[in-house]
Structure formats: structure tokens, C-alpha cells
DNA sequence: CCGTATCCATTCCGATACTG
DNA sequence: CAGTATCGGAATGGATACGG
């Protein structure tokens, strides 16, 4: 972040990276999607120092990815919950996971698998499809300018 | 990057972020997916200084995301092409774009749309599906440990 | 338990100058 | 055109100490 270029960035990818394009933010979202809510849980899971974590959480709340809510267990503290906007990052997380699983392990494959909770079967790979359902490879897409 | 934690990171998301989890790398991949090949093209598109760009390109080549090839136009220089592994980042880019389009624009919507080159129609939203084709929301998935 | 404040080291980034 | 070398400033990260 804080590079010069993103001020008027028209590209949605650049805008997205401006919000979650740093190391910790996506890992926080990853944990939040798994149900992590409390400051100390994030701290323990990520192994990040308190000040960094506090800053990231504050930024994510500011961007509307997380929101603060009263603790569900009756304790005096608060919890960080994903907003609907934050849950919109689910495909990003899944895409990263699938890329990692597929291309970043050597002889020993990844030890965890994402499965459908109901059936216990592994989920499908994310695929981009045309409006008629046809599978699209990168070269089969293009960007067009939308008219006002 | 270069945080301490990723050395033995078992999480594929963390591993993926270690490879492309910085500001420029994904933007380089974005451009490469659009057909950008030459150093100067990346430089112009990204508005990044040469030394940073050179470093990122070198890292991406080192990770097997990009590869160097002789220039297709007969010039004396080389081009940076996506490897199959690099093209595996396509879903990540699309997911980021769709998140950005959906949640990061205010009154004025995003001016560009990704379409099927053949039909000219917008692509579908990425969806996670179970092995039986059922649509899966975040809470309907879980991670399990794979047995050796 | 949930942070904030501080200090310090490292890294990153941008601009520029320089080379083949 | 395609980089490399260098520099300074800014941001990031880790550790720790402190306070509500």
C-alpha cells in the first residue's frame, strides 16, 4: 500500500489490492471465514504482534470488511465479524488456496482439503464460465469499456 | 513478505501469498494475462520504477510464474511469458476483480467489464460448488486433514 | 483480555543516474 | 530497450512495556 498509483486507479483489481493486498489482511479474512472472532485468537493463529494485528483489524473495519460486535459469550469484550462485503472475499480465498494446493507443493502434497460440510467431499475447482456456461480460459476473455 | 512465519507454513493460502502476496506481483500477472510481455510495457502500465519492476519480474521467474522467451518480434530482447503455473492464477485475478467490481465502487460503477471474447457477454460470477454441483457458501465448507 | 505506545531493524518504493 | 546501482524516505514488522 501507500504506493503512489492507486489514488485514481480505475482497475477493480488494483482497488481490491489496496484494501486487502498486504500479507496479513487476507490471512485475517481467511481465519475469520473459519470462524475466528477474537483478538487473541487471531494473534495466536497468525503469530503476529499485537500492534500490527490491531492496525490491520482497524483498517479492515474501516474498509467495511469486518465489523465490531458485542462478544457472543457474554464477556466484556468485542468480536470481529465479517460483513457481507467481507464474505465477498470468499472466492478470493478459495482461489488462492486452490492455486497453492495445485502449484506450491512438492513431493508432499498439502495436508488439508476443503470439503463440503454436508457430504464431506472435496469442493470443485473454481472455474470461470461464460453466460452460456462454457468454460473460459484466460485467452478467451477480454475487457470492454462499459458505456455510461 | 519476508515476515518470519512462512518458512514452514503448511497453509496453501500462506504459501500462495508468499509468492504473489505483494502489491506489484499480482498486477504484473494481471497485465501478463492481458498479453503484456515486454519490460517497458509493464513499466508503462504499472507506473513502477525500473528497479522494483526488475526485482519483481526476477522473483516471478524464480517462482516459475513467468518465464523468459526470445522476443516474438525479432528484436534483440526477451519477453516475459506466463507459464502454465502462472496461468493458474487466473481464478485469483478474476476473483479479485469481481470482488472489486462488486464492493469497491460507489455511485459510479466500474467502467470495465470482463466478457467472453466469443459472445461478448459478461462472464459469470465465480462460484464454489460441491462435488455434486451444489452452490457452497463459506459456512458450508470446512477443512479436513488429509491422511498420509 | 484487549489493546496502545515505543523502539528498532528491515524492507519497500520512487527517483535518478548510468551501462550495454 | 532493458536493465543495474545507489540513495533517501516511508512503511512494515517484531518485541516489549504499559494501561483499561
Amino acid at each position: 500500500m501507500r504506493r503512489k498509483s492507486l489514488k485514481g486507479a480505475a482497475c477493480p483489481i488494483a482497488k481490491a489490492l489496496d484494501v486487502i493486498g498486504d500479507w496479513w489482511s487476507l490471512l485475517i479474512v481467511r481465519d475469520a471465514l473459519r470462524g475466528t472472532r477474537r483478538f487473541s485468537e487471531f494473534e495466536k493463529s497468525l503469530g503476529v504482534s499485537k500492534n500490527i494485528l490491531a492496525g490491520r483489524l482497524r483498517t479492515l473495519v474501516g474498509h467495511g470488511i469486518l465489523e465490531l460486535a458485542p462478544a457472543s459469550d457474554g464477556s466484556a469484550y468485542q468480536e470481529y465479524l465479517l460483513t457481507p462485503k467481507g464474505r465477498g472475499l470468499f472466492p478470493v480465498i478459495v482461489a488462492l488456496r486452490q492455486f497453492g494446493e495445485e502449484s506450491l507443493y512438492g513431493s508432499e502434497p498439502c495436508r488439508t482439503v476443503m470439503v463440503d460440510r454436508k457430504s464431506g467431499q472435496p469442493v470443485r475447482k473454481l472455474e470461470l464460465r461464460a453466460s452460456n456456461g462454457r468454460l473460459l480460459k484466460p485467452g478467451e476473455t477480454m475487457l470492454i469499456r462499459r458505456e455510461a
Side-chain angles (χ1 to χ4, degrees), chain A:
Chain A
M1 280 67 104
R2 277 16 103 200
R3 307 139 201 97
K4 67 173 172 192
S5 46
L6 45 93
K7 37 179 184 281
C11 171
I13 298 170
K15 287 173 86 82
L17 289 175
D18 190 37
V19 174
I20 45 75
D22 75 284
W23 178 252
W24 296 116
S25 294
L26 274 178
L27 293 178
I28 290 170
V29 172
R30 172 200 68 178
D31 285 352
L33 282 166
R34 284 222 247 170
T36 304
R37 302 170 164 215
R38 297 291 280 264
F39 188 93
S40 60
E41 291 178 310
F42 288 110
E43 188 183 2
K44 185 178 169 192
S45 166
L46 301 172
V48 61
S49 45
K50 294 166 176 289
N51 51 355
I52 303 294
L53 175 59
R56 285 294 177 280
L57 289 172
R58 186 164 36 230
T59 301
L60 289 171
V61 170
H63 282 303
I65 304 292
L66 297 175
E67 63 184 350
L68 280 165
S72 51
D73 62 355
S75 72
Y77 304 107
Q78 291 188 300
E79 297 182 340
Y80 295 89
L81 300 182
L82 280 171
T83 62
K85 178 174 172 179
R87 279 190 292 276
L89 284 166
F90 185 51
V92 176
I93 294 290
V94 174
L96 278 171
R97 163 170 281 274
Q98 293 185 342
F99 169 75
E101 289 173 348
E102 199 172 276
S103 298
L104 268 23
Y105 287 82
S107 52
E108 283 306 317
C110 180
R111 304 303 310 265
T112 59
V113 194
M114 178 174 281
V115 299
D116 173 12
R117 196 180 279 274
K118 192 167 288 186
S119 70
Q121 294 299 306
V123 302
R124 287 190 187 174
K125 192 151 166 28
L126 285 178
E127 299 165 327
L128 184 65
R129 294 189 177 271
S131 58
N132 63 11
R134 202 174 87 257
L135 195 63
L136 291 174
K137 286 180 296 188
E140 297 176 317
T141 65
M142 59 185 293
L143 296 179
I144 62 172
R145 299 198 81 74
R146 187 204 314 259
E147 302 308 320

